Amino acid sequence: MTIGPIELEIIRHRMEAINADAGETLVRVSGSQIASEASDFNTAIMTADGTVVSCSKFILVQSTSLNLIVRDILDRYGENPGIGPGDQFLTNDPYLGTLHQPDVTLVAPIFHDGRLIAWAGSTVHEPDVGGPVSGGFNYAARSIFDEAIPIPPVKIVESGRIRRDIERDYLARTRTPELNALDLLGQIAANRASERQLLELCAVYGANGLVEAMDTLLASTEAAFRRRLKELPDGIWRENSFIQHEQRRGADYMPNQVYAVRLAMAKSADRLTFDFTASDDQAPGAVNSTYPTLANFTMAAVLVHICQGLPWMPGAIWRTIDIRTRKASVVDAEWPAGVAMSTGTSAQAIRNCVSACLARLLDGSEKHAHMAMASSQSSGAGGMSISGHRLDGRPFTTLFLDELSGGGGATVDTDGCDTSGTATSPGATPSNIETNEAYYPVLYLTRLELADTGGPGMRRGGVGAMHAYRPHRTDRSIALLSMAQGLQHPATMGLAGGEPGSPSGFAIMSGDVPVDHAMGWPDLADVVEIRLPDARTQLHPGHMLVTSSQGGGGFGDPLERDTAAVLADVLDGLVSTEGALRDFGVVMRRDDERVLVDRQATDAERKARRSTRIGEREPYRGGGAVGGRRLSSHFRAVETANGEQVACASCGCRLCGLGERLYSSLVLHEAPAGERSAITDRYPGSERFRIRHFYCPGCARQVDVQVALAGEPVLEAMDVRPQAKSEARS
């Protein structure tokens, strides 16, 4: 049968439906709230050589490098133990292709008349996969031998039958064998559902037709993506992101050390290069990422930010991307480094860096600037493994993902979505409160959207949420192992002068604190001892845990936000009256029972702030729209007798020559990391971080905001190349 454009679209959409159906099958069989409630899983369809041609949109990072796992199986297992119809292979090896050991992947070859034509795969985060600490995470890990030992690919299903010896070995490692067994059955069923429906496509279009269609879809998506890249400006964009973990040098132990992930992203013609070589050396603990994790989080960010309107087809996009890295670094750990906590620590820093650089790239495009989006929430303190014993003595362990209630990033046209979660995990959500309470001995006291957590900007970032729960129907303490990131500084970056979203929050306090009446941390900060979670953190009976997720990044100068939008946020409880003044320079007043904007006072407040930004001078208004080539929302390249100059897009102020140090020509103001938070400055180590605000020296517009280590040089976040003469003539 001839596969034309119409047939291609039918097959592409059918594969997306097959993936979705596989996910539904997995959830129906699984007994774990991690999969059925939080949707911490993903499914994918691959070509015969493992190239990912279609993936679900739950946890994107779990499927974009499944090709590495399939390639290993093809290279090593062709003769022994062999690859045949009805086989399925299980692995949780992060050095091979998964993110970390709790993510268990199952891939299945699909044969038609004895010919290998495709693979189906799925990944699920398991509540426990063994190791010395319940849940699979170990703060004190010095190497992977202090964590769950990874399982290389093993044939757990052979000719359609589960191998009981391999299944027995797999389940013997875990503290939650019943749940893991159900998840395994769910994954087997999901892969079989994909196999059945792909073979139904073969019955319609022929095996050759399906294979041809997949190859054509990959080629056409690659071509479309290359065309999009060519429409974007060439240059280099940079971003740094930070995590905290202990450090050891010989016999010395230093808690709460900082590790930096540093990215320089270059775009040239139709290729993207992500250079992470300047990132810090690997940590002596569990927070490192392996290369597959680095690749997965990079690709997921590319799909979300650049592939809007294009098929999310990782196998096609990989053909246009280079990743440069350095072995034994925190983003490309060398065996046997510990990596189990990577997804909530260094991997999030990787995603933050990639998202920020891609957003800056898009913001520099005349055609695609509308696609630029500030960062969504990062991993926070609310993501944690909990374990303990029920009242009857039965043990439990699981993963709570309350952190997935953070805010989305703003764009030039829209505010970020409130409590929407992580952009690279579009299908993931926190578990239902009642489900968590039914499964585990906890009682939730509150779950509420948290005012003032969205990053301020012309467009506001989405707000995060606060959660509180206490032990219930147990007389024992509950062990808490939080990822504990984003507490000492914001980790969700704004764009084009927008502010970062709020940092995370974590505190254990007395159970008699009226948290259900609190509106946020300002009401609680004075009644609790703030400390960082560690390996010994316990939630005792009579106490409660309070956590908050991060807000999304804002877009644009907060002083340019429409006062009516600020008022609407105040009335909706998303911004407090104090936050309206502090973050947006908007003064509120009461008229009887109504809250109104005091326009005269607001105008005066904003005027005074702009003057303060540039040393109490009167800002320059400019003469209207500034011409020249777009570099970003705030900068234009203007032709002069001395070559191209960078000018402010608002007032026309000439800043520097193109290719010179732009950020050195801006006005810089540094603030503490907790400038908008009631608790951030109380976490040990927060004094090491600064929020850097950059203003145009002419009109005082806020053009960028960066999070940095105190004393570090200013990051030149944008290095746009001069326009070639041939381009200028065209």
Side-chain angles (χ1 to χ4, degrees):
M1 180 178 182
T2 301
I3 305 297
I6 295 176
E7 288 77 17
L8 275 178
E9 280 300 287
I10 292 173
I11 291 171
R12 180 172 73 84
H13 285 279
R14 185 71 189 113
M15 286 194 295
E16 290 183 0
I18 291 171
N19 265 325
D21 185 63
E24 289 294 326
T25 300
L26 194 160
V27 166
R28 285 197 297 269
V29 177
S30 169
S32 167
Q33 103 284 2
I34 298 174
S36 61
E37 290 278 340
S39 299
D40 195 345
F41 71 91
N42 214 39
T43 59
I45 295 169
M46 294 156 278
T47 63
D49 66 356
T51 301
V52 180
V53 70
S54 180
C55 60
S56 293
K57 298 174 178 62
F58 292 98
I59 306 290
L60 278 176
V61 291
Q62 290 178 340
S63 60
T64 56
S65 70
L66 286 179
N67 59 299
L68 300 176
I69 294 172
V70 171
R71 188 71 262 165
D72 182 87
I73 294 170
L74 290 171
D75 289 345
R76 293 173 178 264
Y77 293 173
E79 294 185 4
N80 183 5
I83 304 168
D87 292 349
Q88 300 200 35
F89 297 83
L90 178 145
T91 183
N92 70 338
D93 189 343
Y95 282 91
L96 181 64
T98 67
L99 300 177
H100 58 167
Q101 298 94 308
D103 282 344
V104 176
T105 294
L106 194 71
V107 294
I110 299 173
F111 288 83
H112 181 273
D113 291 338
R115 172 191 175 190
L116 177 62
I117 61 167
W119 291 75
S122 63
T123 301
V124 178
H125 185 113
E126 296 299 336
D128 185 81
V129 287
V133 179
S134 293
F137 307 123
N138 183 4
Y139 268 120
R142 290 177 176 267
S143 75
I144 204 165
F145 298 110
D146 298 321
E147 301 174 347
I149 300 300
I151 304 171
V154 292
K155 187 189 291 189
I156 198 167
V157 179
E158 188 168 30
S159 300
R161 299 182 63 188
I162 296 176
R163 286 194 53 176
R164 295 303 178 192
D165 54 345
I166 304 298
E167 180 194 34
R168 184 179 181 184
D169 176 74
Y170 166 57
L171 297 178
R173 300 164 179 259
T174 173
R175 299 170 178 84
T176 55
E178 297 88 356
L179 289 177
N180 291 45
L182 283 172
D183 280 345
L184 175 61
L185 292 175
Q187 289 181 268
I188 292 171
N191 287 348
R192 285 176 174 170
S194 295
E195 177 186 31
R196 184 187 73 253
Q197 294 180 72
L198 284 173
L199 292 178
E200 289 173 357
L201 282 177
C202 289
V204 176
Y205 300 104
N208 289 336
L210 178 60
V211 170
E212 175 191 336
M214 289 192 290
D215 290 341
T216 302
L217 286 170
L218 287 166
S220 62
T221 301
E222 176 191 354
F225 187 70
R226 289 186 185 276
R227 288 194 298 271
R228 176 159 294 176
L229 288 181
K230 287 180 179 179
E231 294 169 345
L232 298 173
D234 288 348
I236 299 173
W237 291 263
R238 300 178 182 88
E239 185 67 29
N240 298 332
S241 191
F242 308 96
I243 62 171
Q244 298 82 48
H245 192 62
E246 62 192 21
Q247 185 170 325
R248 303 183 185 91
R249 291 194 180 103
D252 297 329
Y253 168 74
M254 294 180 291
N256 193 20
Q257 295 302 295
V258 175
Y259 296 84
V261 174
R262 305 185 191 276
L263 170 62
M265 183 194 79
K267 184 267 166 181
S268 179
D270 60 356
R271 292 201 69 82
L272 282 171
T273 300
F274 297 91
D275 189 339
F276 291 93
T277 54
S279 299
D280 286 351
D281 291 344
Q282 66 189 35
V287 299
N288 305 290
S289 288
T290 60
Y291 180 83
T293 304
L294 170 66
N296 270 304
F297 276 80
T298 298
M299 175 55 66
V302 171
L303 293 175
V304 168
H305 286 270
I306 305 291
C307 293
Q308 297 175 42
L310 299 178
W312 285 9
M313 203 169 292
I317 310 304
W318 276 126
R319 299 170 181 177
T320 71
I321 287 176
D322 297 310
I323 294 180
R324 296 176 183 170
T325 184
R326 179 174 58 86
K327 280 297 179 186
S329 66
V330 71
V331 300
D332 189 1
E334 197 167 46
W335 177 274
V339 297
M341 292 175 64
S342 63
T343 57
T345 55
S346 56
Q348 296 293 326
I350 291 166
R351 180 181 64 84
N352 291 341
C353 287
V354 176
S355 295
C357 288
L358 292 173
R360 295 181 193 276
L361 167 64
L362 289 166
D363 190 43
S365 166
E366 290 283 1
K367 184 175 182 178
H368 297 295
H370 67 281
M371 292 167 50
M373 179 175 63
S375 295
S376 63
Q377 69 141 95
S378 183
S379 178
M384 66 182 69
S385 173
I386 73 167
S387 59
H389 292 80
R390 298 177 173 86
L391 194 61
D392 60 6
R394 288 181 298 132
F396 70 89
T397 184
T398 193
L399 182 73
F400 273 7
L401 290 171
D402 291 338
E403 65 173 338
L404 288 175
S405 58
T411 72
V412 67
D413 297 319
T414 60
D415 292 343
C417 294
D418 300 315
T419 58
S420 59
T422 306
T424 50
S425 300
T429 63
S431 298
N432 186 286
I433 285 175
E434 285 77 13
T435 302
N436 284 351
E437 291 176 336
Y439 274 63
Y440 303 104
V442 299
L443 178 68
Y444 276 79
L445 307 173
T446 189
R447 173 183 276 182
L448 58 88
E449 290 188 326
L450 206 52
D452 300 329
T453 51
M458 179 189 70
R459 303 295 183 187
R460 173 185 54 77
V463 302
M466 175 174 278
H467 299 75
Y469 58 81
R470 63 176 175 82
H472 181 62
R473 294 183 179 175
T474 181
D475 55 2
R476 307 189 194 188
S477 298
I478 296 175
L480 307 174
L481 201 153
S482 165
M483 296 299 173
Q485 298 300 312
L487 293 167
Q488 302 166 351
H489 65 86
T492 303
M493 297 310 300
L495 178 62
E499 302 273 354
S502 65
S504 302
F506 178 100
I508 294 175
M509 59 187 72
S510 172
D512 58 9
V513 174
V515 68
D516 53 328
H517 298 298
M519 298 305 296
W521 289 111
D523 297 336
L524 301 172
D526 293 334
V527 296
V528 63
E529 177 187 355
I530 303 294
R531 62 184 179 87
L532 293 169
D534 57 29
R536 300 177 298 278
T537 300
Q538 300 270 333
L539 181 60
H540 301 296
H543 289 76
M544 63 179 170
L545 171 69
V546 183
T547 64
S548 61
S549 53
Q550 299 155 353
F555 187 105
D557 189 341
L559 295 186
E560 296 176 13
R561 184 163 176 79
D562 183 23
T563 57
V566 177
L567 175 60
D569 285 342
V570 170
L571 296 178
D572 288 341
L574 302 174
V575 174
S576 67
T577 55
E578 297 81 7
L581 176 60
R582 180 192 64 227
D583 299 337
F584 301 97
V586 176
V587 181
M588 298 292 177
R589 62 179 176 85
R590 285 196 172 273
D591 182 6
D592 295 328
E593 296 301 316
R594 296 187 303 163
V595 177
L596 302 173
V597 174
D598 188 328
R599 299 194 180 279
Q600 185 174 358
T602 295
D603 290 343
E605 176 69 23
R606 288 181 163 182
K607 181 179 179 180
R609 290 196 186 186
R610 290 189 175 98
S611 177
T612 300
R613 286 176 172 180
I614 55 175
E616 307 303 333
R617 292 187 288 108
E618 183 73 18
Y620 175 60
R621 294 291 182 182
V626 177
R629 179 163 60 97
R630 182 188 179 98
L631 302 179
S632 74
S633 291
H634 299 308
F635 303 119
R636 298 291 184 270
V638 179
E639 286 285 354
T640 71
N642 297 321
E644 284 189 301
Q645 297 280 312
V646 179
C648 173
S650 179
C651 69
C653 175
R654 302 294 170 86
L655 300 169
C656 65
L658 194 64
E660 296 178 358
R661 297 181 64 82
L662 169 61
Y663 282 74
S664 298
S665 68
L666 302 172
V667 177
L668 168 63
H669 169 72
E670 284 198 351
E675 63 175 344
R676 295 175 38 241
S677 169
I679 59 170
T680 298
D681 287 343
R682 294 172 59 180
Y683 288 111
S686 62
E687 69 280 355
R688 298 171 294 189
F689 296 95
R690 296 289 184 271
I691 310 297
R692 289 175 172 169
H693 304 260
F694 295 90
Y695 309 121
C696 169
C699 63
R701 197 181 204 185
Q702 183 163 286
V703 295
D704 204 357
V705 183
Q706 299 176 5
V707 176
L709 287 170
E712 278 203 340
V714 168
L715 178 68
E716 291 290 332
M718 182 175 66
D719 184 4
V720 180
R721 300 172 186 175
Q723 192 172 29
K725 292 182 180 180
S726 59
E727 295 178 17
R729 285 195 299 269
S730 64

